[in-house]
Amino acid sequence: SCNNNLHEVIYHDAAEESYKYNSVYEALGIVYVPMRSFWDNHAYYMANETSSDELVMPANASGWDDGGIYKQMHLHSWTTESPQMSTMWSNFYNGVLEANNILELLEADKIPIPQGATKENFTSEVRVARAFYYWMIMDNFGAAPLVTSTAKDSLPSKASRQELYDFVVKEITESIPNLSEENGQLLYGRFNKWGAKALLANIYLNAQVYTGTEAWSDCIQQCDDIIASKKYSLASDYRSIFQTDNEHSSEIIFAIPFDQNQGTGFYPEMYSWHAALKAKRDMQDTPWGSGSAMGVPQFVDTYNPHDERLADTCWMGLQFALDGVTPLVGFYDQAGKQLNFTN
């Protein structure tokens, strides 16, 4: 019935082999997209926070038990079947595979390079982005497959944590000379020279854990280089770093940009805020139930009482609507009561 013709005829989509990129920036975008997936309540951000002494996601009257998956992280009893593990693994390798594809397209001259730049500039940027994902893999999983091409003819073998460490350090170190030293709008959300050095500093910071050999002096050198560039400085207002429009922050070296329409995925408020807090910021969406993620009391107690970052970070005390007057009333076990957040 198929007349022996099994070749698909594509009418409404672009085939991979015939797709032509209009600009290198269009191609680069896909390399960074997987980073937006880190902020899900089952992903990297909350897996790290809830397994530390900072945050906990307890069950409450509105739910949030979910088969004990959040409790597992807090009690350090996670397994290979915990969704946080598979989500992180998939997100990290998604980034690796996207980077491998773009690197091969750049090498084959299938992506146009703008005047005044070189292919090496963009190849180096993608190599650093791929090294970032491999750092995530090395940091969270230790030994893992090292895949550097799109070839699918064989299954990859596992590389040791030492081999992954050597790979990411080499990739970043070799790429830094070809990266831009600018930190303007065009480089926001992309790796420039200083972003690569900050990444390398993070890797050196834990070198003793990864390899058994410390690299403190190497870490300090990368940090000193960033400071000496005079491209960045600590913001005078801590809260300004976290504003929606922070592209011109003096403190941010590397960012993961989000947009409510074009770049979604950042919604910690949805799994940490009580639904009544919708009125506190006149939100379009309603947070889920009475929320779950919250600070661990012992951690909150470590703040100096005069440290303004505590109030800039946490909701505390009686809660009011955006007008600052209307009390916010809870639901579930707090039905009819004004929300009052205590330690």
Side-chain angles (χ1 to χ4, degrees), residues 3 7-8 25 69 118 166 175 186 201 203 216 235 250 273 295 308 312 316:
N3 197 27
H7 295 289
E8 182 181 9
Y25 304 113
I69 60 174
T118 67
D166 293 339
S175 298
L186 185 61
I203 295 166
W216 305 119
S250 64
W273 289 15
E308 295 178 354
D312 286 342
M316 298 183 295

mmCIF file of all heavy atoms in Angstrom, residues 3 7-8 25 69 118 166 175 186 201 203 216 235 250 273 295 308 312 316:
data_model
loop_
_atom_site.group_PDB
_atom_site.id
_atom_site.type_symbol
_atom_site.label_atom_id
_atom_site.label_comp_id
_atom_site.label_asym_id
_atom_site.label_seq_id
_atom_site.Cartn_x
_atom_site.Cartn_y
_atom_site.Cartn_z
ATOM 1 N N ASN A 3 3.630 1.550 -1.777
ATOM 2 C CA ASN A 3 4.313 1.619 -3.065
ATOM 3 C C ASN A 3 5.838 1.611 -2.902
ATOM 4 O O ASN A 3 6.561 2.172 -3.731
ATOM 5 C CB ASN A 3 3.868 2.868 -3.843
ATOM 6 C CG ASN A 3 4.223 2.764 -5.321
ATOM 7 O OD1 ASN A 3 4.316 1.661 -5.864
ATOM 8 N ND2 ASN A 3 4.429 3.906 -5.960
ATOM 9 N N HIS A 7 10.159 7.301 1.981
ATOM 10 C CA HIS A 7 10.782 8.592 2.224
ATOM 11 C C HIS A 7 9.717 9.630 2.557
ATOM 12 O O HIS A 7 8.775 9.836 1.801
ATOM 13 C CB HIS A 7 11.584 9.046 1.004
ATOM 14 C CG HIS A 7 12.757 8.160 0.711
ATOM 15 N ND1 HIS A 7 13.875 8.125 1.511
ATOM 16 C CD2 HIS A 7 12.968 7.258 -0.288
ATOM 17 C CE1 HIS A 7 14.744 7.237 1.014
ATOM 18 N NE2 HIS A 7 14.210 6.713 -0.066
ATOM 19 N N GLU A 8 9.892 10.277 3.704
ATOM 20 C CA GLU A 8 8.914 11.261 4.159
ATOM 21 C C GLU A 8 8.978 12.525 3.301
ATOM 22 O O GLU A 8 10.059 13.030 2.992
ATOM 23 C CB GLU A 8 9.183 11.625 5.620
ATOM 24 C CG GLU A 8 8.186 12.621 6.191
ATOM 25 C CD GLU A 8 8.503 12.984 7.631
ATOM 26 O OE1 GLU A 8 9.582 12.595 8.105
ATOM 27 O OE2 GLU A 8 7.676 13.654 8.262
ATOM 28 N N TYR A 25 23.851 34.153 15.986
ATOM 29 C CA TYR A 25 23.169 34.353 17.266
ATOM 30 C C TYR A 25 21.919 33.488 17.360
ATOM 31 O O TYR A 25 21.562 33.001 18.430
ATOM 32 C CB TYR A 25 22.828 35.828 17.444
ATOM 33 C CG TYR A 25 24.043 36.714 17.338
ATOM 34 C CD1 TYR A 25 24.205 37.608 16.292
ATOM 35 C CD2 TYR A 25 25.063 36.621 18.285
ATOM 36 C CE1 TYR A 25 25.348 38.398 16.181
ATOM 37 C CE2 TYR A 25 26.215 37.399 18.184
ATOM 38 C CZ TYR A 25 26.343 38.280 17.130
ATOM 39 O OH TYR A 25 27.475 39.045 17.025
ATOM 40 N N ILE A 69 9.181 12.589 47.395
ATOM 41 C CA ILE A 69 10.351 12.917 46.565
ATOM 42 C C ILE A 69 11.129 14.121 47.111
ATOM 43 O O ILE A 69 12.345 14.222 46.911
ATOM 44 C CB ILE A 69 9.962 13.174 45.102
ATOM 45 C CG1 ILE A 69 8.968 14.348 44.980
ATOM 46 C CG2 ILE A 69 9.380 11.922 44.487
ATOM 47 C CD1 ILE A 69 8.667 14.731 43.538
ATOM 48 N N THR A 118 35.265 36.093 14.203
ATOM 49 C CA THR A 118 35.805 34.888 13.573
ATOM 50 C C THR A 118 35.032 33.658 14.027
ATOM 51 O O THR A 118 34.348 33.677 15.051
ATOM 52 C CB THR A 118 37.292 34.693 13.940
ATOM 53 O OG1 THR A 118 37.394 34.402 15.351
ATOM 54 C CG2 THR A 118 38.096 35.946 13.617
ATOM 55 N N ASP A 166 39.636 17.111 33.742
ATOM 56 C CA ASP A 166 40.697 17.489 32.805
ATOM 57 C C ASP A 166 40.099 18.050 31.516
ATOM 58 O O ASP A 166 40.630 19.011 30.940
ATOM 59 C CB ASP A 166 41.585 16.286 32.482
ATOM 60 C CG ASP A 166 42.397 15.813 33.683
ATOM 61 O OD1 ASP A 166 42.584 16.619 34.630
ATOM 62 O OD2 ASP A 166 42.828 14.639 33.682
ATOM 63 N N SER A 175 39.832 28.041 25.259
ATOM 64 C CA SER A 175 38.830 28.913 24.642
ATOM 65 C C SER A 175 38.947 30.366 25.087
ATOM 66 O O SER A 175 38.578 31.279 24.332
ATOM 67 C CB SER A 175 37.425 28.394 24.966
ATOM 68 O OG SER A 175 37.227 27.097 24.448
ATOM 69 N N LEU A 186 25.011 42.719 24.237
ATOM 70 C CA LEU A 186 25.151 41.602 23.307
ATOM 71 C C LEU A 186 25.670 40.348 24.001
ATOM 72 O O LEU A 186 25.407 39.236 23.566
ATOM 73 C CB LEU A 186 26.096 41.988 22.165
ATOM 74 C CG LEU A 186 26.255 40.966 21.028
ATOM 75 C CD1 LEU A 186 24.920 40.712 20.340
ATOM 76 C CD2 LEU A 186 27.287 41.437 20.016
ATOM 77 N N ALA A 201 37.023 29.343 37.847
ATOM 78 C CA ALA A 201 37.268 29.528 39.278
ATOM 79 C C ALA A 201 36.397 28.588 40.106
ATOM 80 O O ALA A 201 36.855 28.007 41.094
ATOM 81 C CB ALA A 201 37.003 30.980 39.672
ATOM 82 N N ILE A 203 35.284 25.708 39.186
ATOM 83 C CA ILE A 203 35.794 24.345 39.012
ATOM 84 C C ILE A 203 37.047 24.133 39.855
ATOM 85 O O ILE A 203 37.184 23.117 40.552
ATOM 86 C CB ILE A 203 36.075 24.083 37.519
ATOM 87 C CG1 ILE A 203 34.759 24.123 36.733
ATOM 88 C CG2 ILE A 203 36.763 22.739 37.320
ATOM 89 C CD1 ILE A 203 34.927 24.202 35.236
ATOM 90 N N TRP A 216 43.832 25.868 44.766
ATOM 91 C CA TRP A 216 43.427 27.154 45.337
ATOM 92 C C TRP A 216 44.076 28.331 44.616
ATOM 93 O O TRP A 216 43.419 29.331 44.336
ATOM 94 C CB TRP A 216 43.813 27.201 46.826
ATOM 95 C CG TRP A 216 43.279 26.065 47.649
ATOM 96 C CD1 TRP A 216 44.007 25.142 48.344
ATOM 97 C CD2 TRP A 216 41.907 25.720 47.873
ATOM 98 N NE1 TRP A 216 43.177 24.249 48.980
ATOM 99 C CE2 TRP A 216 41.882 24.579 48.709
ATOM 100 C CE3 TRP A 216 40.697 26.255 47.432
ATOM 101 C CZ2 TRP A 216 40.704 23.967 49.122
ATOM 102 C CZ3 TRP A 216 39.503 25.653 47.850
ATOM 103 C CH2 TRP A 216 39.524 24.527 48.681
ATOM 104 N N ALA A 235 27.199 45.188 43.622
ATOM 105 C CA ALA A 235 26.117 46.171 43.581
ATOM 106 C C ALA A 235 25.916 46.778 44.960
ATOM 107 O O ALA A 235 26.035 46.084 45.977
ATOM 108 C CB ALA A 235 24.829 45.513 43.098
ATOM 109 N N SER A 250 26.084 45.811 37.692
ATOM 110 C CA SER A 250 27.554 45.792 37.727
ATOM 111 C C SER A 250 28.092 44.488 38.295
ATOM 112 O O SER A 250 29.284 44.210 38.181
ATOM 113 C CB SER A 250 28.061 46.961 38.580
ATOM 114 O OG SER A 250 27.642 46.794 39.939
ATOM 115 N N TRP A 273 5.529 30.113 47.223
ATOM 116 C CA TRP A 273 4.608 31.103 47.789
ATOM 117 C C TRP A 273 3.243 30.500 48.086
ATOM 118 O O TRP A 273 2.754 29.631 47.358
ATOM 119 C CB TRP A 273 4.411 32.251 46.811
ATOM 120 C CG TRP A 273 5.593 33.145 46.641
ATOM 121 C CD1 TRP A 273 6.884 32.909 47.028
ATOM 122 C CD2 TRP A 273 5.598 34.426 46.012
ATOM 123 N NE1 TRP A 273 7.687 33.955 46.682
ATOM 124 C CE2 TRP A 273 6.938 34.901 46.059
ATOM 125 C CE3 TRP A 273 4.616 35.207 45.417
ATOM 126 C CZ2 TRP A 273 7.296 36.137 45.520
ATOM 127 C CZ3 TRP A 273 4.981 36.438 44.884
ATOM 128 C CH2 TRP A 273 6.310 36.892 44.943
ATOM 129 N N GLY A 295 12.641 28.467 54.095
ATOM 130 C CA GLY A 295 13.935 28.445 54.757
ATOM 131 C C GLY A 295 13.946 27.544 55.979
ATOM 132 O O GLY A 295 12.961 27.454 56.714
ATOM 133 N N GLU A 308 20.892 43.146 56.148
ATOM 134 C CA GLU A 308 19.694 43.504 55.389
ATOM 135 C C GLU A 308 19.332 42.464 54.335
ATOM 136 O O GLU A 308 18.196 42.457 53.831
ATOM 137 C CB GLU A 308 19.904 44.865 54.716
ATOM 138 C CG GLU A 308 20.054 46.011 55.718
ATOM 139 C CD GLU A 308 20.300 47.342 55.027
ATOM 140 O OE1 GLU A 308 20.470 47.337 53.777
ATOM 141 O OE2 GLU A 308 20.332 48.377 55.722
ATOM 142 N N ASP A 312 15.674 41.152 52.533
ATOM 143 C CA ASP A 312 15.628 41.242 51.073
ATOM 144 C C ASP A 312 15.392 39.876 50.429
ATOM 145 O O ASP A 312 15.063 39.796 49.248
ATOM 146 C CB ASP A 312 16.946 41.815 50.532
ATOM 147 C CG ASP A 312 17.060 43.304 50.783
ATOM 148 O OD1 ASP A 312 16.022 43.944 51.052
ATOM 149 O OD2 ASP A 312 18.184 43.843 50.702
ATOM 150 N N MET A 316 8.684 37.827 55.693
ATOM 151 C CA MET A 316 8.616 37.652 57.144
ATOM 152 C C MET A 316 7.485 38.490 57.710
ATOM 153 O O MET A 316 7.134 39.543 57.164
ATOM 154 C CB MET A 316 9.938 38.086 57.798
ATOM 155 C CG MET A 316 11.133 37.265 57.361
ATOM 156 S SD MET A 316 12.659 37.744 58.232
ATOM 157 C CE MET A 316 12.880 39.409 57.616
#
